[in-house]
Amino acid sequence: MLISDAPRQAGPDAPLVEPTVVHGGALPGSGRGRKHGTSKTEPFDRWFRYPAGFASDYVTSLLAHLELPKGSTVIDPFAGSAVTGTAARRAGHSFYGVEAHPSIAELGQLKLNSAPQHSRPLSETAKDLVIAAESLAVSSTSRLNQESDLVRRCFTEPVLTRLASLRDLIKAGAAEEWHLYAKWALLGTLRDVSSARVGWPYQRPGSERKPTHADPMIRFLQRVSWMEEDLKQACEFASDLNFKVVNGDSRSQISWAEIDAGGAQGCVSSPPYLNNFDYADATRLELYFWGDVSSWAEMCASVRAEMLTATTQQSSVGAALSARSKLSNYGTVFKSIEEIVEKLTAERAARRRGKEYDRVIPDYFLAIAQVLEQLAMTMKPGAPAIWLVGDSAPYGVYIDTPRIISDLAQELGFSSEKDVVLRRRGQRWASNTTRHDVELSERMIVFRRVL
Ligand SMILES: C[S@@+](CC[C@H](N)C(=O)[O-])C[C@H]1O[C@@H](n2cnc3c(N)ncnc32)[C@H](O)[C@@H]1O
């Protein structure tokens, strides 16, 4: 059954949509869901592997199932590196996304921009940069003590000297029109040539490994050549479409100011999961290397500032209390959230240094409700939304995140159409030492703006 043919259920009193397990061929696309992050090989995805991203072939099949007329506008309130955006462009649609991580929003917009015209080719500019960087590197070893501790520990001295020389030239404007492309080709190179364990999502500079690529300059040029290939392909897409990634908070109306109310015909997204994954920390190596931030506190203040609370590090007593009071406006969903909070408070109290999962939950669901409020204003009546989201079980307390989100959506002007189990997944609360045997899954929920 196509998603657009699914039976509709409207209003808070509608029967709950039970998650159904989809077998084999019934699952759209590869069925890989978000497990693998952005692809290492797909056009545009391969520019930079954002660990939170979902596979683009999957997004493509989800979009196809929405059966939107060509030229529709697709939105994503958690746009990440714009995987939905590049898939929407390929399918002949415009795209409007909101992403809180400033660097990742920059990358997403870059993928959607048309390449500079009438300039020297990117590959030639990149080769010149490499030649200049090699000669600069010869004289600049001594400057490495200006690099952050994390950066120094992730590379051998010769490799870091060459990477830093390339960076300094790019920053000084040597790549001019191609500046951002050169920047992202270099940032994409970092983990390839690191001699520490920097496999996603966390950086472990104390732990050595053999770099997957030995020469940073060769790898940088390789990445540049992928970009050039992908940009050529993008020239063939219709020129009357619009592509925008706003760096902002999708809870806030201001982030949606550049799209008309009711202007979106579809939404494909994947919100942060309740799994204590920290999107700012995951990109710490790139942020420190580029000089965007120089301390943990600065990273929290600038990069995390607009992200919704999905980790215990972001939680606070005040925010949780205020969220609980605001959530009481959301009907019966409030009761199920309160039950979870109470169980988690008890679990925390039973531990010597229990984690504040009970404070994350109300803040998280209030944020999701606020995002849904913005979507209700932005989406055209009848427009469908597909979200991929996983459930979780901190301290063994089951949180049916997809169902709670579907229930909130119904409170906020959407009908809930589908709740499908895509794959079973492991227990992801990394810091939880108490093992539990609750089976977790990744699900696809489908809801639609009521007419
Ligand atoms: C699961 S990821 C989605 C990634 C995206 N689908 C992709 O393929 O790259 C969730 C994203 O939501 C972003 N995010 C968290 N809070 C946000 C907020 N309040 N507004 C906008 N984006 C937010 C995170 O930075 C993260 O990139």
Side-chain angles (χ1 to χ4, degrees):
M1 180 168 57
L2 294 176
I3 285 159
S4 52
D5 300 334
R8 295 198 187 168
Q9 297 174 334
D13 297 331
L16 288 170
V17 179
E18 288 300 329
T20 46
V21 181
V22 174
H23 299 285
L27 191 64
S30 67
R32 282 185 295 159
R34 215 182 63 182
K35 187 178 178 189
H36 300 275
T38 39
S39 158
K40 285 183 190 166
T41 50
E42 289 285 314
F44 296 98
D45 282 15
R46 58 184 176 173
W47 290 18
F48 183 81
R49 190 158 185 272
Y50 187 42
F54 39 25
S56 60
D57 58 342
Y58 199 74
V59 183
T60 298
S61 58
L62 292 178
L63 269 173
H65 276 70
L66 286 183
E67 292 199 315
L68 302 173
K70 285 253 183 239
S72 296
T73 298
V74 174
I75 56 171
D76 183 350
F78 303 104
S81 59
V83 176
T84 301
T86 50
R89 175 172 61 186
R90 222 175 10 252
H93 303 307
S94 291
F95 176 75
Y96 188 97
V98 181
E99 169 53 47
H101 191 312
S103 312
I104 298 301
E106 174 187 277
L107 169 67
Q109 183 66 62
L110 187 70
K111 290 180 186 174
L112 296 170
N113 287 346
S114 8
Q117 300 294 318
H118 315 299
S119 59
R120 281 191 79 216
L122 170 59
S123 52
E124 284 179 25
T125 309
K127 278 181 204 148
D128 290 350
L129 268 173
V130 165
I131 293 166
E134 294 289 30
S135 62
L136 182 64
V138 174
S139 56
S140 58
T141 326
S142 57
R143 288 190 295 121
L144 289 191
N145 55 11
Q146 289 166 21
E147 304 295 328
S148 71
D149 183 53
L150 170 69
V151 170
R152 267 186 287 134
R153 291 168 70 201
C154 284
F155 305 96
T156 61
E157 267 197 20
V159 166
L160 182 54
T161 305
R162 295 166 82 202
L163 290 170
S165 301
L166 201 45
R167 176 200 60 203
D168 294 346
L169 285 169
I170 296 169
K171 280 186 139 185
E176 290 170 2
E177 275 187 293
W178 293 110
H179 171 89
L180 285 180
Y181 298 89
K183 168 182 172 178
W184 281 99
L186 179 58
L187 292 185
T189 301
L190 294 186
R191 295 189 193 228
D192 299 338
V193 298
S194 172
S195 40
R197 291 181 80 88
V198 287
W200 296 104
Y202 299 111
Q203 298 97 141
R204 282 179 288 166
S207 196
E208 280 182 28
R209 66 147 208 206
K210 189 168 177 279
T212 49
H213 294 266
D215 189 312
M217 301 306 190
I218 293 176
R219 188 61 174 164
F220 168 74
L221 291 174
Q222 163 88 75
R223 287 187 167 278
V224 161
S225 73
W226 292 343
M227 283 179 162
E228 219 162 36
E229 258 174 58
D230 299 349
L231 289 169
K232 267 189 206 131
Q233 185 200 80
C235 290
E236 290 152 24
F237 300 128
S239 57
D240 55 341
L241 302 174
N242 299 307
F243 306 103
K244 179 83 189 163
V245 178
V246 172
N247 173 214
D249 180 346
S250 51
R251 289 168 285 188
S252 148
Q253 200 170 352
I254 219 160
S255 302
W256 299 95
E258 291 174 60
I259 180 168
D260 294 337
Q265 282 90 357
C267 168
V268 176
S269 194
S270 181
Y273 289 12
L274 273 169
N275 60 0
N276 243 4
F277 183 85
D278 183 332
Y279 297 100
D281 188 26
T283 53
R284 197 147 48 101
L285 177 60
E286 289 77 15
L287 291 167
Y288 277 51
F289 174 77
W290 196 254
D292 291 322
V293 300
S294 55
S295 68
W296 181 266
E298 211 186 314
M299 185 181 79
C300 295
S302 58
V303 182
R304 255 202 209 152
E306 304 201 279
M307 288 183 190
L308 56 79
T309 299
T311 69
T312 47
Q313 300 97 293
Q314 293 167 285
S315 70
S316 77
V317 181
L321 274 176
S322 151
R324 285 173 81 174
S325 135
K326 288 181 183 147
L327 278 167
S328 61
N329 300 324
Y330 293 97
T332 50
V333 200
F334 173 62
K335 221 175 124 233
S336 44
I337 297 171
E338 279 293 291
E339 277 167 19
I340 295 167
V341 171
E342 276 159 28
K343 284 185 197 158
L344 286 171
T345 308
E347 290 294 335
R348 177 159 61 87
R351 290 162 171 82
R352 238 161 57 92
R353 284 211 303 263
K355 293 228 166 231
E356 300 85 358
Y357 300 129
D358 52 324
R359 291 181 194 149
V360 175
I361 303 310
D363 215 1
Y364 174 83
F365 284 116
L366 176 66
I368 294 286
Q370 290 165 335
V371 173
L372 289 168
E373 273 166 3
Q374 294 305 321
L375 294 197
M377 282 188 272
T378 309
M379 291 176 69
K380 193 175 166 185
I386 295 189
W387 283 20
L388 300 195
V389 59
D391 49 13
S392 58
Y395 291 147
V397 175
Y398 183 61
I399 306 176
D400 193 346
T401 313
R403 168 165 280 179
I404 297 174
I405 293 179
S406 295
D407 291 351
L408 283 169
Q410 290 185 73
E411 294 284 341
L412 291 163
F414 295 89
S415 57
S416 180
E417 290 192 346
K418 269 197 173 192
D419 184 343
V420 176
V421 175
L422 298 179
R423 68 179 177 91
R424 305 287 172 196
R425 63 196 182 95
Q427 196 267 102
R428 295 289 293 269
W429 286 69
S431 53
N432 182 1
T433 49
T434 315
R435 296 201 67 81
H436 63 72
D437 53 10
V438 182
E439 194 177 58
L440 299 177
S441 61
E442 181 168 75
R443 309 225 293 267
M444 171 181 87
I445 53 172
V446 182
F447 47 97
R448 189 180 292 269
R449 184 77 181 91
V450 288
L451 287 166

